[in-house]
Amino acid sequence: MILMQGKGVSKGVANGPIYFFQRPDTTISDAPAADIEAEKARIAAAQEKAIDQLNVLADKAREETGDETAILFETHAMFVEDEDYVDCMMNALEERGCLAEKAVAIAGEEFSAMLAAMDDPYMQGRAADIKDITRRILNNLMGIADGGIDSDVPVILAADDLAPSETLQLDKSKILGFMTQGGSGNSHTAILARTMGIPAICGLGEALKEEQSGRMAYIDGETGQVAIEPDEITLSAFQTKQEKQREMKELMETMKGQKDVTLDGREMMVYCNIGSPADVAAVLSNDGQGIGLFRSEFLYLAASDYPSEEDQFKAYQEVAAAMGGKRVVIRTLDIGADKQVDYFQLHKEENPALGVRAIRICLNRPEVFRTQLRALYRASAYGKVAIMFPMITSVWEVKECKRACQKVMAELDKEGIPYNKDTEIGIMIETPASVLVAEELAQEVDFFSVGTNDLTQYTLACDRQANDLGKFFDPHHPAVLRALKIATDAAHKAGIWIGICGELGADLELLETFLAIGIDELSVSPASVLPLRAEIRKSIAKTCTLEKLEC
Amino acid sequence: MKEFQYTITDPIGIHARPAGMLAKAAKALDSTVTITKGDGSKSAAATKLMAIMGMGIKSGETVTVTVEGGNEEANCATIQQFFKENL
């Protein structure tokens, strides 16, 4: 038995084989080839496999999301077959006598560099497509599985840490739990795990090793404990907890369909945070009353080019329709900082969290913003869509966003396309500036939603991505809670509602404080809905105190 | 040899998707189809997707398309139709 201790970041007990994440970024050997003809055959086989994979993806996309995505994969398949591209690989093999991997990498670099050097931004953007297909051929050559998990059975996924784009590509049906060497409670792995309702442990450090792949393990996402091949006593402790967890879940299921009111009659709206239309199933099965945060980034992160209005419209419409008239708050793109997308070609920033991100990108690039707003307004005809702008610091930004909305509505009017004229507009409260001018901001919008991760980061001057800030990164800090109170008072003074869509919303220790402050809505990951509801119906709002706001 | 000229109307010029479709269409024909940039500086076989994208043909630019060998008459008409519909 090997015992390891990390930080539990998503509750629950899981057991299964460990699988170490295969990072697609493996180094390419410069070694000479023994047999050029054999290397040529390897390239041909990898190329053929890539075309098959892309055709399967295209068929799947055509069924699930429609023609647009399907055509993207078909175009990629055509790139893979391109004569010049393949000739370039074969020539590299002949001239350098190198291995297939090196030859493919050379061709990928040559062609992506050619496109990147063109004077047309569209063509420059295509460089990412070449990199993508080159990566695919290389993965096939090196035996790296699509979706990162080459296993027939579900696994406990181990990694050093996962980037947002990596978590998006994972085949989630194969993951029982996560454990990472680095990372923090705010890392994307942790957020993903909480959305999926599966356990996750981070910060295991060097104790977690690649050679542990394949061994059976139990993990406890609450205590942060990992046991590889546990002895009998440890095993029974894990199993008892797992059993309790199952019972709890069954009990929670019985609350479904009921209103969430405290013992003294105060109602709290319990909504869900989601990252893609695929998460709606979890919202419905956990009985979420609405969606308080639909992160639109998945559309941008998963693509190799700006997603079209049609693609976006379909995703938003799907969610709005699936929620059947319940509120769906969709946040406009929040790219930048820790979420980078190649084709946006953002300048490298020393301090990206304080850089050109989120609404700043939208206001700088009206065309990108317009495409998203058009898709959002078109989707508003199919359900109760609300639009939310992230990273607001000033009143003029909100006014400019609203002007962009007006313009889009006028366009749709002219084109005779249906939309809901009364679509709610709200903003994220996640900067100290927005708290300090909250009264003025509240005059402009229909609701506030507090992003507690960023609000904590900016209020406490603590980088949320850093692993070692520990006790300094304290979302319970009175400064953060007082900021919440200021924003709430401003919202209520203007007669609008305020929610929390950050991770803090699910923090049961703070529920009393939220009730005392007067928060109207909590938007949490689908898996946190039921425990939160159980806690709300046990609370008495009028006896809740603001004591946590004191130092 | 048959040839025609065509002025690109697609707002982003000959981009990836139509270039891919063109390559596919050209491969199906028994003629060699060649695209030449308006100023004659570059040309490429229509079957070569990346080479065509590499020419960077923009909206409003006029290209010359030649069709050589095989059933030139019919193939030229097919390709001309393709340009009208997709570019």
Side-chain angles (χ1 to χ4, degrees):
Chain A
M1 177 174 76
I2 303 172
L3 281 176
M4 289 187 260
Q5 186 64 49
K7 189 177 172 215
V9 291
S10 178
K11 276 190 290 188
V13 176
N15 64 298
I18 298 174
Y19 181 88
F20 219 92
F21 180 64
Q22 307 277 328
R23 189 167 312 276
D25 214 327
T26 1
T27 37
I28 286 158
S29 161
D30 264 327
D35 178 354
I36 296 291
E37 289 311 311
E39 294 304 307
K40 281 189 179 174
R42 285 182 64 217
I43 292 184
Q47 185 197 3
E48 201 172 310
K49 190 171 170 191
I51 294 168
D52 287 345
Q53 290 165 337
L54 287 162
N55 286 334
V56 169
L57 284 172
D59 288 344
K60 198 173 153 213
R62 185 154 281 126
E63 263 171 43
E64 289 171 5
T65 52
D67 257 359
E68 292 275 332
T69 339
I71 290 170
L72 173 79
F73 289 126
E74 282 166 0
T75 310
H76 276 194
M78 288 189 252
F79 279 142
V80 175
E81 281 182 291
D82 185 75
E83 291 171 37
D84 292 335
Y85 177 59
V86 177
D87 282 350
C88 181
M89 295 174 196
M90 299 305 177
N91 289 341
L93 279 183
E94 300 271 359
E95 282 163 21
R96 294 170 170 250
C98 59
L99 292 171
E101 286 86 351
K102 183 77 188 171
V104 172
I106 289 170
E109 270 161 36
E110 182 162 315
F111 281 85
S112 62
M114 171 192 91
L115 291 171
M118 288 174 71
D119 62 351
D120 178 321
Y122 167 81
M123 289 295 174
Q124 289 164 4
R126 300 284 65 68
D129 293 82
I130 306 298
K131 283 186 189 147
D132 202 355
I133 56 153
T134 304
R135 191 71 253 167
R136 181 175 290 282
I137 300 173
L138 282 173
N139 284 353
N140 290 341
L141 276 174
M142 297 173 172
I144 298 167
D146 228 10
I149 304 169
D150 188 14
S151 165
D152 295 331
V153 293
V155 297
I156 293 174
L157 191 68
D160 47 0
D161 197 9
L162 295 167
S165 61
E166 287 170 340
T167 58
L168 264 175
Q169 284 160 12
L170 294 171
D171 178 356
K172 297 178 184 66
S173 66
K174 282 190 184 157
I175 307 171
L176 299 164
F178 288 103
M179 48 183 183
T180 60
Q181 293 170 330
S184 69
N186 294 304
S187 66
H188 288 273
T189 315
I191 293 172
L192 175 70
R194 288 192 287 265
T195 303
M196 292 170 64
I198 61 174
I201 296 169
C202 69
L204 285 162
E206 299 293 307
L208 181 61
K209 295 183 184 73
E210 238 179 297
E211 64 254 31
Q212 289 153 351
S213 254
R215 298 176 73 175
M216 293 301 292
Y218 269 81
I219 65 171
D220 183 339
E222 190 170 25
T223 61
Q225 203 180 45
V226 177
I228 299 177
E229 285 147 14
D231 60 26
E232 229 164 282
I233 299 168
T234 318
L235 181 67
S236 91
F238 271 107
Q239 282 174 336
T240 311
K241 194 156 179 187
Q242 212 169 15
E243 187 52 40
K244 226 181 236 163
Q245 173 183 313
R246 245 191 302 273
E247 281 169 20
M248 190 66 171
K249 207 163 179 183
E250 279 165 24
L251 179 78
M252 297 288 189
E253 297 280 327
T254 62
M255 289 184 315
K256 275 192 177 177
Q258 297 171 28
K259 264 196 167 183
D260 297 307
V261 284
T262 60
L263 289 171
D264 55 338
R266 250 276 285 290
E267 195 176 339
M268 178 74 93
M269 300 185 278
V270 181
Y271 287 3
C272 291
N273 297 340
I274 64 167
S276 83
D279 299 334
V280 174
V283 176
L284 296 172
S285 72
N286 284 290
D287 205 27
Q289 296 164 39
I291 289 170
L293 170 63
F294 177 10
R295 304 181 184 93
S296 61
E297 291 82 73
F298 82 98
L299 286 160
Y300 298 85
L301 289 169
S304 52
D305 193 4
Y306 295 98
S308 67
E309 179 185 321
E310 204 57 32
D311 282 347
Q312 297 197 42
F313 163 67
K314 279 182 193 142
Y316 306 147
Q317 178 210 30
E318 185 184 340
V319 174
M323 291 304 293
K326 290 176 176 169
R327 190 184 269 131
V328 177
V329 178
I330 307 176
R331 180 176 68 190
T332 59
L333 84 93
D334 193 9
I335 298 291
D338 54 325
K339 285 171 261 178
Q340 290 292 335
V341 180
D342 288 350
Y343 57 84
F344 270 81
Q345 300 185 328
L346 299 172
H347 295 290
K348 190 137 183 66
E349 296 170 312
E350 283 290 324
N351 235 331
L354 304 180
V356 180
R357 57 172 290 202
I359 202 66
R360 298 172 181 177
I361 295 178
C362 290
L363 294 177
N364 280 347
R365 301 194 188 177
E367 272 312 299
V368 175
F369 198 27
R370 173 176 168 264
T371 305
Q372 183 165 35
L373 289 176
R374 279 184 60 101
L376 287 167
Y377 272 102
R378 284 175 58 195
S380 72
Y382 299 86
K384 191 175 180 184
V385 170
I387 301 174
M388 178 160 74
F389 302 115
M391 269 300 285
I392 294 293
T393 53
S394 312
V395 175
W396 69 262
E397 292 166 343
V398 181
K399 287 190 168 156
E400 206 167 303
C401 289
K402 284 168 72 183
R403 269 197 296 275
C405 291
Q406 294 292 348
K407 234 164 119 181
V408 161
M409 284 194 273
E411 282 176 22
L412 295 178
D413 276 335
K414 221 163 147 190
E415 294 163 36
I417 296 173
Y419 67 93
N420 176 11
K421 285 188 172 56
D422 301 319
T423 299
E424 284 181 305
I425 291 177
I427 57 166
M428 297 272 300
I429 297 289
E430 51 191 339
T431 61
S434 64
V435 173
L436 296 173
V437 297
E439 288 203 10
E440 288 83 351
L441 290 170
Q443 297 297 327
E444 298 292 330
V445 296
D446 302 307
F447 65 92
F448 281 167
S449 188
V450 185
T452 49
N453 299 352
D454 272 332
L455 184 62
T456 307
Q457 150 165 289
Y458 294 127
T459 303
L460 302 183
C462 279
D463 183 349
R464 61 187 275 201
Q465 297 293 319
N467 299 334
D468 49 1
L469 278 162
K471 63 188 174 191
F472 299 105
F473 188 96
D474 174 19
H476 291 209
H477 194 293
V480 177
L481 300 175
R482 285 185 202 178
L484 269 178
K485 174 88 165 65
I486 296 170
T488 304
D489 291 346
H492 290 167
K493 194 172 161 196
I496 65 171
W497 62 271
I498 179 168
I500 294 177
C501 64
E503 291 294 316
L504 217 52
D507 192 332
L508 297 179
E509 260 179 63
L510 287 178
L511 179 61
E512 277 212 12
T513 309
F514 295 153
L515 285 166
I517 288 174
I519 298 287
D520 302 298
E521 177 246 17
L522 294 172
S523 189
V524 300
S525 58
S528 300
V529 166
L530 291 172
L532 181 58
R533 298 180 70 190
E535 205 60 30
I536 290 170
R537 57 200 62 218
K538 276 192 284 185
S539 307
I540 302 170
K542 60 176 178 237
T543 60
C544 292
T545 68
L546 292 171
E547 68 183 314
K548 284 205 163 69
L549 273 62
E550 303 302 322
C551 290
Chain B
M1 189 185 77
K2 301 272 303 171
E3 73 168 52
F4 66 89
Q5 297 201 319
Y6 184 84
T7 305
I8 306 298
T9 58
D10 190 296
I12 23 182
I14 302 191
H15 54 103
R17 192 182 308 156
M21 286 157 64
L22 175 65
K24 211 173 183 177
K27 268 183 202 162
L29 303 178
D30 62 354
S31 307
T32 307
V33 182
T34 311
I35 318 281
T36 307
K37 241 171 123 71
D39 58 7
S41 63
K42 287 179 190 166
S43 67
T47 50
K48 295 188 171 188
L49 166 59
M50 294 204 207
I52 289 194
M53 286 176 63
M55 293 203 294
I57 296 164
K58 295 198 167 73
S59 189
E61 204 172 322
T62 304
V63 294
T64 306
V65 182
T66 61
V67 180
E68 231 177 331
N71 190 349
E72 291 178 355
E73 191 93 15
N75 292 342
C76 186
T78 308
I79 291 294
Q80 201 156 7
Q81 189 62 26
F82 176 90
F83 270 81
K84 274 186 196 145
E85 282 170 10
N86 298 292
L87 286 159

